Amino acid sequence: MRVAMIGHAFMGAAHSQAWRTAPRMFDLPLAPEMTVLVGRDEQRAQQAADQLGWADTETDWRRAVERDDVDLVDICTPGDTHCDIAVAALEAGKHVLCEKPLANTVEEAERMVAAAERAAADGVRTMVGFTYRRVPAVALARQLVRDGRLGEIRHVRAQYLQDWIVDPEAPLTWRLQKHLAGSGALGDIGAHAIDLAQHVLGDVLTELTGTTTTFVTERPLPPGDHGLDGDADTGRGPVTVDDAAAFVGRFAGGALGVFEATRFATGRKNALRLEVNGSQGSLAFDFEDMNVLEFLDATEAATTAGFRRILVTEEEHPWVEGWWPPGHGLGYEHGFSHQVVDLVTAIAEGRDPAPTFADGLQVQRVLAAVEASADSGRWAQVEA
Amino acid sequence: MRVAMIGHAFMGAAHSQAWRTAPRMFDLPLAPEMTVLVGRDEQRAQQAADQLGWADTETDWRRAVERDDVDLVDICTPGDTHCDIAVAALEAGKHVLCEKPLANTVEEAERMVAAAERAAADGVRTMVGFTYRRVPAVALARQLVRDGRLGEIRHVRAQYLQDWIVDPEAPLTWRLQKHLAGSGALGDIGAHAIDLAQHVLGDVLTELTGTTTTFVTERPLPPGDHGLDGDADTGRGPVTVDDAAAFVGRFAGGALGVFEATRFATGRKNALRLEVNGSQGSLAFDFEDMNVLEFLDATEAATTAGFRRILVTEEEHPWVEGWWPPGHGLGYEHGFSHQVVDLVTAIAEGRDPAPTFADGLQVQRVLAAVEASADSGRWAQVEA
Amino acid sequence: MRVAMIGHAFMGAAHSQAWRTAPRMFDLPLAPEMTVLVGRDEQRAQQAADQLGWADTETDWRRAVERDDVDLVDICTPGDTHCDIAVAALEAGKHVLCEKPLANTVEEAERMVAAAERAAADGVRTMVGFTYRRVPAVALARQLVRDGRLGEIRHVRAQYLQDWIVDPEAPLTWRLQKHLAGSGALGDIGAHAIDLAQHVLGDVLTELTGTTTTFVTERPLPPGDHGLDGDADTGRGPVTVDDAAAFVGRFAGGALGVFEATRFATGRKNALRLEVNGSQGSLAFDFEDMNVLEFLDATEAATTAGFRRILVTEEEHPWVEGWWPPGHGLGYEHGFSHQVVDLVTAIAEGRDPAPTFADGLQVQRVLAAVEASADSGRWAQVEA
Amino acid sequence: MRVAMIGHAFMGAAHSQAWRTAPRMFDLPLAPEMTVLVGRDEQRAQQAADQLGWADTETDWRRAVERDDVDLVDICTPGDTHCDIAVAALEAGKHVLCEKPLANTVEEAERMVAAAERAAADGVRTMVGFTYRRVPAVALARQLVRDGRLGEIRHVRAQYLQDWIVDPEAPLTWRLQKHLAGSGALGDIGAHAIDLAQHVLGDVLTELTGTTTTFVTERPLPPGDHGLDGDADTGRGPVTVDDAAAFVGRFAGGALGVFEATRFATGRKNALRLEVNGSQGSLAFDFEDMNVLEFLDATEAATTAGFRRILVTEEEHPWVEGWWPPGHGLGYEHGFSHQVVDLVTAIAEGRDPAPTFADGLQVQRVLAAVEASADSGRWAQVEA
């Protein structure tokens, strides 16, 4: 399983750690090879390849996706490039793992899904990188809902709270301009919250009403050329994406959902939080305490019922057997290793991994509905 | 300060405990006297008066509010009666403390405010019972915001989560029919969440979009006559109020608010929760841990910044000096004692206590906006 | 049930609140009457009686315990006076409720128990004020252990952590000199930790090894005469009790106990904490979060086992039915009301309340063993 | 920096992950090479080497430590072998990293330190694997104490709580027999608690009193030959080490310490917990929530003071810069990577890493004092 990874920033480092680690801690049916890393700047790409452990480099992703010695393309670049790279890779017959959100627009995502469907005929697989699904505590949450331990689901509260641009003088990045990032907190982290909630429930949002907000509309340009819009004289450029998004939505199965994503929740660093209330039980999760799932079983006697703090580090828990004894917590990057395990296993077994590009498109449609509702001031339907 | 209390159920017990306790633990400028308790059933009223410590009883609230030996009327009845009692009491020149929500409709609330304004000319005072304002941790939150410790407020998350009717066979009560209760979770507990958020911010909601839901639309009638609609043959009646409400709103000062009130949050017993994120700090409160306020001061060095778990039991904290040493927590009913302290003190000092009927009306208008938005599927403005 | 209360400081206020409240919130078989308050200073006693709600005052406790219109003597004074007052009251045929620790020495406690045994022949009852037993969460803990939910008990961790004299210039009080207080943290708060652990386990400590420490050996004298030793010239006096105590002990049933009591645990205000580990389950309690009991049921599947945060506010929980709905927490003083309920009920039913003076003596013997071990540097046996 | 790793069980996997990861996430002055893995069984050693990423294998550690292509020996075997391997490696001029506890007896540890001192003349370095020192939250704790943020240290509470042998039918392992493991919970996990407390304080225990206990004295033998004592007929063997240990101790600087280590704390999986109380502040840490340090700054105003929940994932925190953005937590094995970083850096810079074998010996002496006190029933001095 020879891999080409496009991009080598934060996500590239996390993916590399996973490609390197998964085969050491798990028995994989196929051995991943870290064949080629792609970066536009030759020197920086070489440096990254040396640091992260890739055998070769390319500066043009088009060359990489066509190499004969590449079986799988791992896309870790900003959202505006996902569509072109993925479609080209699929057409070249490569499996594709693509970071989220799948694309910057529904239209792009649809093109990617169409390409994935065409390639599927030849046994080519696609996956979108909603890695939080592969935190063991989240997988346990999914399992409890699927097993009926929560009964009928009534409420979902999902939030993704960060604070890295609270300071109005924090500089612009590609994540703060629409032509590069598609949207702001909504697509970057709200997409995770949406996927997480839908995944744990095994249900989809059908309609919603909400808003997006930009608290700081102009920021200093960073040094160097990053393709950012701005005024070279003032050294400042516009923030063209949302800083925060919030909406109320309804799930197909009748649950009421309340969602929020923001980069202005001072003191919350990476608080991807989920609460689910069902007729027979409830769940609560916060990524800032990622090895814990809180679970309330309402079928217990009132005298001793209470939210249980389950330390999700038992060998019976998903993926944990590959790691350490109980109580020896996992970290952020372990979800990426689990993603590699599941992707490689699915490919070896000739079946689709989850979430596929089609799942990524569905999330994209929820994002589009949020923007539509924010624009119209009315409820928006999520396209089915 | 001779008091007549109308109603003697849950709220009557809490108010009685406060009238009895406040003068013992605090130095009050006027000594409250528990003069007369009013209940429709003579025997049950007498029993309640004996149990709760009231000197006399009446079965007709009209007689009570006109008694010469009554200075203040304390209304602890269901919402459909608030307006008539309050207006009559005010016209009789009595101070009025009225449970929340102020009324079942904006129109009633407006009539109450008009009566309050007329009576004010004679030094008559009104107060609405948003007692959660008088939890010391909440008062401290208010103080920190007012002192600028949070900077510019960006986000509010306010929830009031209960679970007492998760069971679809839990019987009907007056709280589940619109003609008696006005609304469901929205007015009963959502009103607290709204008042809490607006109070802590010192700001008001201006517009919002959201929805209300009724998960269980029919329930068994309880034994006895409670003025409930229903079918005597089937022994069942309709739930005519919301089980849950959720909305996204904007504050005058620019903050984005996300609100939720529900009686279907399995395992959450009385979780009135508030989170506030500002440019310089954040707050978190949960009434289920009522002696604690979490506070993040973002002006601290990143190395040692973190949410502080402030145990709000120091003598420097609001009202605590009247009670016990540090770490000796207060309970639910203490907020009612603080309400008595502040009400009696304001009356003695010839000034309005807070929150007044006008404040109650403003909350009523937010409730009305939620219902309007739920009906129209659009944003609704909060009447100013 | 006419009551004389001796002492009117912190404990007097807490007891008064309980005598006043218990009959209002619970159905008591006998109505307590707050007959007489005793204080050495006539004016201050009168002021306290007015504030706290006592009908009459005395300045000499000897007169009070002999009054015909007194049925029960409630001792809220420093430890050096307990023995004389209690013995006199018992000899006068009065029921006695005595604050903890029962006495300043084992010898005094033995005299009190002897007097209690003599009086018992005439139906006179005694109780010692280990009120933390009557926090609902603690009573639930006791119940779970008694019901075998924890299996065989292996470990107990009990701590009582405060911080009110961390400042070396905090003034002397009667609690810091041996002739008045008997011991320091050990007797004042360690006694609570010992009683709590033994009560929850239903077991007793048999032997132990440990130490006591005094971190600050001299402090400023406070203004006024309080019977304190010290040097009027320097305005300073010696601390003659322990600031902290710690010991390891064995229970009769085989459990290993680790105990600690201190007034130097900076930031811990009233952290009476207990952890119990048994072969089938575990418990954790912290008075700073007094409405919660954590319970781990190890007979559950590993996948979903975890410490449950039980909010001990359900009507099924001990004493809660007298108060508020679920999730409406209780405070520090509620344990005192529960103490009144149980004491009055036991007297009315002609049986001994718990804990009796004999239980208080047993705790005193544990305290004596700690001091003996601290002196000898060896294990000390707890006298049976 | 060519490494030979002896042993390939749990610790071998953790060390391998660190050797593999550290150079990818950090800039190391020397590149580690995973040269040879040593295991007694050839086939299993080869399998482990393939899985974990080692280039070669040996079945005899003596050959490995003498190989010319080995610069550093990493000892991951049971305690009874540490001394022989380490001494031989040091005599062969290899740097040595040795798992904790350093040895099974003080005498062995002394021999190891003597060998280390001899080898030091040639620039050979030693380190003992107290990896918990390298959890960022622990390093921050150390830093706060060293910076004087806690003032004078009064109290330490250190516990290491596990529950993996609560079941009396859990089988014997080498960790439960003295000739292999030296001691039980005391040496295996108590050693970590002792090192942690001494490290954070920058102080040492001087004397202590305590006890050890074995709750289950006989267990089933596991299948296969593991060098365990037992009765082949009954299939059972004796537990010859402690299940739990507890002691009270004094630090050189005057702090009072309370320590506990147990494998019978049902529900606690890997709860290495530390609390420190000083005259100006306090700390609390629990490895089950390893990315968090709680810190109380008592110099703050009482109104807003409280334990801060510091999420120790900022780039300003020790080692975090090598990993992910704020809020993206680290896991158990990251401490091992940090150990590699610091060991390799120290070797490259020609200075001793910490903790050295001498530090390991000091902990061994504390362990010996606990056993001496448990035997004699008296206080035992810790050899200086």
Side-chain angles (χ1 to χ4, degrees), chain A residues 209 211 250 262 266 278 282 378, chain B residues 155 209 211 250 266 278 282 378:
Chain A
T209 179
T211 190
R250 294 195 189 99
T262 180
T266 308
S282 288
R378 301 191 181 198
Chain B
H155 287 289
T209 178
T211 189
R250 295 197 188 98
T266 308
S282 288
R378 300 190 182 198

Side-chain angles (χ1 to χ4, degrees), chain A residues 122-266:
Chain A
D122 300 321
V124 172
R125 311 290 165 187
T126 62
M127 190 184 208
V128 60
F130 287 118
T131 46
Y132 290 115
R133 289 189 178 199
R134 291 186 160 84
V135 172
V138 170
L140 175 60
R142 168 78 193 104
Q143 191 177 306
L144 291 171
V145 172
R146 196 171 41 211
D147 292 352
R149 297 291 294 273
L150 270 71
E152 197 168 340
I153 306 302
R154 306 296 198 189
H155 287 289
V156 174
R157 248 153 264 121
Q159 297 146 12
Y160 202 141
L161 311 179
Q162 297 184 337
D163 74 352
W164 55 279
I165 50 172
V166 165
D167 179 357
E169 292 303 305
L172 275 172
T173 81
W174 69 267
R175 293 184 188 271
L176 300 182
Q177 291 200 337
K178 192 174 180 63
H179 68 290
L180 298 172
S183 70
L186 178 61
D188 183 23
I189 55 178
H192 276 302
I194 291 162
D195 182 70
L196 185 72
Q198 296 191 139
H199 172 63
V200 168
L201 259 67
D203 196 0
V204 291
L205 283 159
T206 56
E207 56 177 356
L208 54 83
T209 179
T211 190
T212 60
T213 298
T214 306
F215 295 114
V216 174
T217 56
E218 194 188 80
R219 289 178 178 275
L221 290 163
D225 175 18
H226 304 269
L228 293 166
D229 290 341
D231 181 333
D233 290 345
T234 63
R236 303 182 76 84
V239 174
T240 52
V241 298
D242 60 281
D243 284 335
F247 65 91
V248 172
R250 294 195 189 99
F251 284 83
L256 181 64
V258 180
F259 289 77
E260 191 177 358
T262 180
R263 292 157 169 170
F264 277 74
T266 308

Side-chain angles (χ1 to χ4, degrees), chain D residues 32-104:
Chain D
E33 293 174 41
M34 299 170 73
T35 303
V36 56
L37 174 149
V38 182
R40 279 176 302 185
D41 179 285
E42 186 167 357
Q43 199 182 338
R44 293 178 53 234
Q46 189 58 54
Q47 207 172 11
D50 291 347
Q51 181 71 42
L52 300 174
W54 294 85
D56 196 3
T57 63
E58 295 277 4
T59 55
D60 181 352
W61 62 259
R62 287 171 210 279
R63 279 188 48 81
V65 304
E66 283 165 9
R67 277 171 65 148
D68 287 344
D69 63 347
V70 165
D71 302 310
L72 186 151
V73 174
D74 179 4
I75 306 175
C76 297
T77 50
D80 62 322
T81 64
H82 287 186
C83 182
D84 286 351
I85 301 173
V87 170
L90 290 166
E91 289 177 350
K94 318 298 191 190
H95 307 293
V96 179
L97 168 61
C98 182
E99 261 308 314
K100 46 48 58 186
L102 188 58
N104 276 4

Side-chain angles (χ1 to χ4, degrees), chain A residues 154-155 157 166 209 211 215 244 250 258 260 262 265-266 268 273 275 277-279 282 296 298 307 377-379, chain B residues 154-155 157 166 209 211 215 244 250 258 260 262 265-268 273 275 277-279 282 298 307 377-379:
Chain A
R154 306 296 198 189
H155 287 289
R157 248 153 264 121
V166 165
T209 179
T211 190
F215 295 114
R250 294 195 189 99
V258 180
E260 191 177 358
T262 180
T266 308
R268 304 300 180 190
R273 306 196 293 197
E275 291 189 351
N277 304 125
S279 57
S282 288
L296 174 98
F307 277 84
R378 301 191 181 198
W379 285 75
Chain B
R154 305 296 197 189
H155 287 289
R157 249 152 263 121
V166 166
T209 178
T211 189
F215 295 114
R250 295 197 188 98
V258 180
E260 191 177 356
T262 180
T266 308
R268 303 300 179 192
R273 306 195 293 198
E275 291 188 353
N277 305 126
S279 57
S282 288
F307 277 84
R378 300 190 182 198
W379 285 75

Side-chain angles (χ1 to χ4, degrees), chain C residues 47-353:
Chain C
Q47 205 171 12
D50 291 347
Q51 182 72 42
L52 300 174
W54 295 84
D56 196 3
T57 63
E58 295 278 1
T59 54
D60 180 352
W61 62 260
R62 287 171 210 280
R63 281 190 45 82
V65 304
E66 282 165 8
R67 276 171 66 147
D68 286 342
D69 64 348
V70 165
D71 302 309
L72 187 150
V73 174
D74 179 5
I75 306 175
C76 297
T77 50
D80 62 323
T81 63
H82 288 185
C83 182
D84 286 352
I85 301 174
V87 170
L90 289 166
E91 288 178 351
K94 316 299 191 190
H95 306 295
V96 179
L97 168 61
C98 182
E99 261 308 313
K100 47 48 59 186
L102 188 58
N104 277 4
T105 64
V106 168
E107 189 275 335
E108 286 174 344
E110 285 171 343
R111 283 178 45 214
M112 293 167 78
V113 169
E117 282 169 359
R118 285 192 303 272
D122 301 321
V124 172
R125 310 290 165 187
T126 62
M127 191 184 208
V128 59
F130 287 118
T131 46
Y132 290 114
R133 290 188 177 199
R134 290 185 161 87
V135 173
V138 170
L140 175 59
R142 169 79 193 104
Q143 192 176 306
L144 290 171
V145 171
R146 197 171 39 211
D147 292 353
R149 298 291 295 273
L150 269 71
E152 195 169 340
I153 305 303
R154 306 296 197 187
H155 286 289
V156 174
R157 247 153 266 120
Q159 296 147 11
Y160 202 141
L161 310 179
Q162 297 184 336
D163 75 350
W164 55 279
I165 50 172
V166 165
D167 179 355
E169 291 304 304
L172 274 172
T173 82
W174 69 267
R175 292 184 189 272
L176 301 182
Q177 291 200 336
K178 193 174 180 62
H179 68 287
L180 297 170
S183 70
L186 178 62
D188 183 23
I189 56 179
H192 275 305
I194 292 162
D195 183 69
L196 184 72
Q198 295 190 140
H199 172 63
V200 168
L201 259 66
D203 196 0
V204 290
L205 284 159
T206 56
E207 56 176 355
L208 55 84
T209 179
T211 189
T212 60
T213 298
T214 306
F215 295 113
V216 175
T217 54
E218 194 188 82
R219 291 179 176 275
L221 289 163
D225 177 17
H226 303 271
L228 293 166
D229 290 341
D231 180 332
D233 290 345
T234 63
R236 302 183 77 84
V239 174
T240 51
V241 298
D242 61 282
D243 284 335
F247 65 91
V248 173
R250 295 196 188 99
F251 283 83
L256 180 64
V258 179
F259 289 77
E260 191 178 355
T262 178
R263 293 158 169 169
F264 277 74
T266 308
R268 303 300 179 191
K269 299 305 176 180
N270 203 41
L272 174 56
R273 308 195 293 197
L274 180 71
E275 292 189 351
V276 183
N277 305 126
S279 56
Q280 291 178 37
S282 288
L283 292 173
F285 171 77
D286 184 341
F287 186 79
E288 288 190 356
D289 196 9
M290 67 168 278
N291 291 291
V292 169
L293 181 69
E294 290 185 74
F295 170 51
L296 179 282
D297 183 345
T299 66
E300 281 166 6
T303 318
T304 52
F307 277 84
R308 299 175 196 175
R309 196 178 178 274
I310 305 172
L311 207 50
V312 191
T313 57
E314 299 290 310
E315 61 179 356
E316 291 87 347
H317 288 135
W319 303 288
V320 174
E321 208 179 0
W323 301 102
W324 319 113
H328 296 67
L330 304 187
Y332 168 68
E333 76 262 34
H334 292 73
F336 292 86
S337 285
H338 305 159
Q339 182 170 269
V340 163
V341 170
D342 291 354
L343 172 58
V344 166
T345 303
I347 290 170
E349 297 179 354
R351 54 177 175 74
D352 282 331

Side-chain angles (χ1 to χ4, degrees), chain C residues 155 209 211 250 266 278 282 378, chain D residues 209 211 250 262 266 278 282 378:
Chain C
H155 286 289
T209 179
T211 189
R250 295 196 188 99
T266 308
S282 288
R378 302 192 181 194
Chain D
T209 178
T211 189
R250 295 194 188 101
T262 179
T266 307
S282 288
R378 301 189 181 199

